[in-house]
Amino acid sequence: MVLLRSLFILQVLVRMVLTYNFSNCNFASITDIYCNIIFHDLTGDLKGAKFAKFEQIEDCESKPACLLKIENYTLNPIPGCPSLPEKIFAWRTRAALIGHCPGYPETERNDGTQEMAQEVQNICLNQTSQILRLWYSFMQSPE
Amino acid sequence: MAWALAVILVPRLLAAAAVAAAAAAVVTSRGDVTVVCHDLEMVEVTWGLGPNHQGANLSLEFRYGTGALRPCPQYFLSGAGVTSGCILPAARVGLLELALRDGGGAMVFKARQRASTWLKPSPPRNLTLLWTPDGDVAVSWPAHSYLGLDYEVQHRENSNGNEDAWQTTSGPCCDLMVGGLDPARCYDFRVRASPRAAHYGLEAQPSEWTAVTKLSGAASTGDPCAAHLPPLASCTASPTPAPAPAPAPAPALLPLGCCLAALLTLALLLAALRLRRVKDALLPCVPDPSGSFPGLFEKHHGNFQAWIADAQATAPPARTEEEDDLIRPKAKRVEPEDGTFLCTVPRPPSFESRGQGGGAMVSVGGATFMVGDSGYMTL
């Protein structure tokens, strides 16, 4: 029990140290990619869903802070939606970050655990909704 | 007694609860509650007023971020006196949390998003239209205070309000060029701002259209390049609906007419006064008695006593009855050179010394008569 706890704390610390600083990204290029490609992927994924029923959980007030949260929500699987990082909008988000954020790591992320394998559509829709609203905050925030 | 009260009150309580529940149930669905963020300055929340609204008085609380919930600062009231909406300030950052509850505290509506999610911009202002030498129309307007808006410019040939004739050109702020127009014709223009979906989401809505602005053809603007074009019918470029021009103040015809009539009357009167008859009627002469008393003023300086004594010394014989038949001329007006009006009575006939015939000599009006013993006058 103590070992698991230590491993968890170590994982959090490592993640904090290895968190990328998005301040040096080319926000204009990322904005173009989002407006022309990623936005349509996200809305396509939410098509038919009652988008408005999902309340926004998190917000951000600057472009670097928004990209940090977008990257976290998009590229990390969550219980009930293990396929999220494999969706087309996630691939294109990752490609935009790699291409326009100098030094962004290209290493693959770990797959979800077995507990995350079961797909729950509502959870995926909610997560996609959160990602889209973070992109809205990104567009409205200063650099 | 208690049973009686229970029998009376319980049904009433149940009925009231049913009404409240029905009213609350009406607004549970999001379709009954509308949220609009006007120009990122103010948020308006309104809830259902349909026939199912049974008079429930709902209360709204809100907050930005993680602060404490605050009550609605300003409610709208329906005709029944219950709340029907709320106005609260908008913030450009932070998540807006809305909580609408009924009188019993039950949640009937809840939302948590950026206020910009429900953005509705204000219409563009100060629209400017300008013909270019190429025959296009440059449309420009001032920018909003925030980004993420596209603008739609619609134009149509100056027809009779045909809504289907509008043609749309879209673009970013804050000017657009509309081509393919005929500089010899008149056109209607209007513009509205539309939030970009990728910027604010799909719940944001476009602004209202600006008032229709009419643009006259290039020839009527004095453009030297369009001087060869035929003249246009009246089509002024003005932001409509402009208020009807205030009627020009009616000329003061009545006072002017009265003045002219008075002046004319005065002129006619002055002209008429030159006629003798009018003068006599309007300005009767003031008789001057000095003619009746010759020498009164010249010799005796107005001393009537001295004049009488002198007159008696030279008095003519007593008048006979025949002298009453003498023709005495009427007093006639004599106009002296200085323009004053004097009435001089001709000198009374003077009885001079007897003539050769023995009769008395009488001078009347420059003629001299001799009165004989028989009383007849001979010249």
Side-chain angles (χ1 to χ4, degrees), chain B residues 20-298:
Chain B
V26 168
V27 295
T28 297
S29 65
R30 301 180 82 86
D32 291 328
V33 180
T34 58
V35 184
V36 179
C37 179
H38 295 284
D39 224 20
L40 291 184
E41 293 180 356
M42 173 260 293
V43 177
E44 178 185 359
V45 184
T46 52
W47 41 90
L49 293 175
N52 293 326
H53 187 69
Q54 299 294 327
N57 209 24
L58 306 181
S59 61
L60 182 77
E61 290 179 310
F62 77 101
R63 65 179 168 189
Y64 285 96
T66 56
L69 284 168
R70 292 185 281 166
C72 169
Q74 183 179 350
Y75 281 104
F76 295 135
L77 297 180
S78 68
V82 298
T83 58
S84 63
C86 173
I87 294 285
L88 52 104
R92 299 194 178 189
V93 294
L95 296 178
L96 170 61
E97 183 175 338
L98 298 170
L100 186 64
R101 303 174 192 270
D102 61 13
M107 187 74 69
V108 296
F109 173 81
K110 188 179 178 183
R112 188 165 185 263
Q113 298 178 37
R114 276 201 171 203
S116 58
T117 302
W118 301 289
L119 172 64
K120 180 177 181 178
S122 59
R125 298 171 186 167
N126 300 329
L127 196 62
T128 303
L129 305 172
L130 191 64
W131 284 101
T132 66
D134 299 331
D136 299 332
V137 174
V139 187
S140 59
W141 58 90
H144 282 74
S145 62
Y146 46 91
L147 303 177
L149 300 176
D150 283 327
Y151 293 84
E152 297 174 59
V153 177
Q154 285 191 336
H155 72 277
R156 68 182 178 189
E157 201 167 324
N158 196 5
S159 56
N160 296 327
N162 183 7
E163 287 298 318
D164 296 331
W166 290 108
Q167 299 180 53
T168 303
T169 306
S170 299
C173 188
C174 296
D175 50 78
L176 285 176
M177 198 70 69
V178 179
L181 303 182
D182 186 353
R185 296 180 183 275
C186 298
Y187 293 91
D188 292 340
F189 282 85
R190 64 181 185 181
V191 183
R192 72 175 178 182
S194 184
R196 293 179 194 147
H199 212 107
Y200 295 102
L202 299 174
E203 291 180 76
Q205 52 184 302
S207 72
E208 300 297 331
W209 289 103
T210 61
V212 174
T213 300
K214 294 186 180 297
L215 177 67
S216 57
S220 67
T221 61
D223 183 357
C225 297
H228 64 283
L229 293 172
L232 295 172
S234 172
C235 174
T236 56
S238 61
T240 57
L253 290 176
L254 185 59
L256 186 64
C258 290
C259 290
L260 285 175
L263 286 173
L264 192 62
T265 304
L266 191 61
L268 287 173
L269 193 61
L270 287 173
L273 283 175
R274 291 196 170 270
L275 295 175
R276 188 166 297 176
R277 288 186 184 179
V278 176
K279 276 189 182 177
D280 290 341
L282 295 179
L283 300 173
C285 62
V286 176
D288 183 6
S290 62
S292 301
F293 307 97
L296 172 61
F297 295 99
E298 296 82 2

Side-chain angles (χ1 to χ4, degrees), chain A residues 34 56-57 59-60 133 140, chain B residues 112-114 116 198-199 201:
Chain A
Y34 158 74
Q56 190 168 349
I57 299 172
D59 195 25
C60 48
R133 295 191 192 281
Q140 298 171 39
Chain B
R112 188 165 185 263
Q113 298 178 37
R114 276 201 171 203
S116 58
H199 212 107

Side-chain angles (χ1 to χ4, degrees), chain A residues 29-45 87-96 100 132 135 139, chain B residues 198:
Chain A
S29 299
I30 293 175
T31 297
D32 284 342
I33 295 171
Y34 158 74
C35 288
N36 294 315
I37 301 172
I38 298 173
F39 170 73
H40 300 287
D41 294 336
L42 286 166
T43 52
D45 208 62
K87 293 183 180 292
I88 187 65
F89 68 82
W91 277 101
R92 287 174 170 167
T93 301
R94 186 166 174 270
H100 300 284
L132 184 55
W135 275 111
M139 295 295 290

Side-chain angles (χ1 to χ4, degrees), chain B residues 327-332 345-347 349 364-365:
Chain B
I327 299 173
R328 301 185 183 276
K330 292 167 63 177
K332 58 181 177 182
V345 178
R347 296 179 60 175
V364 178

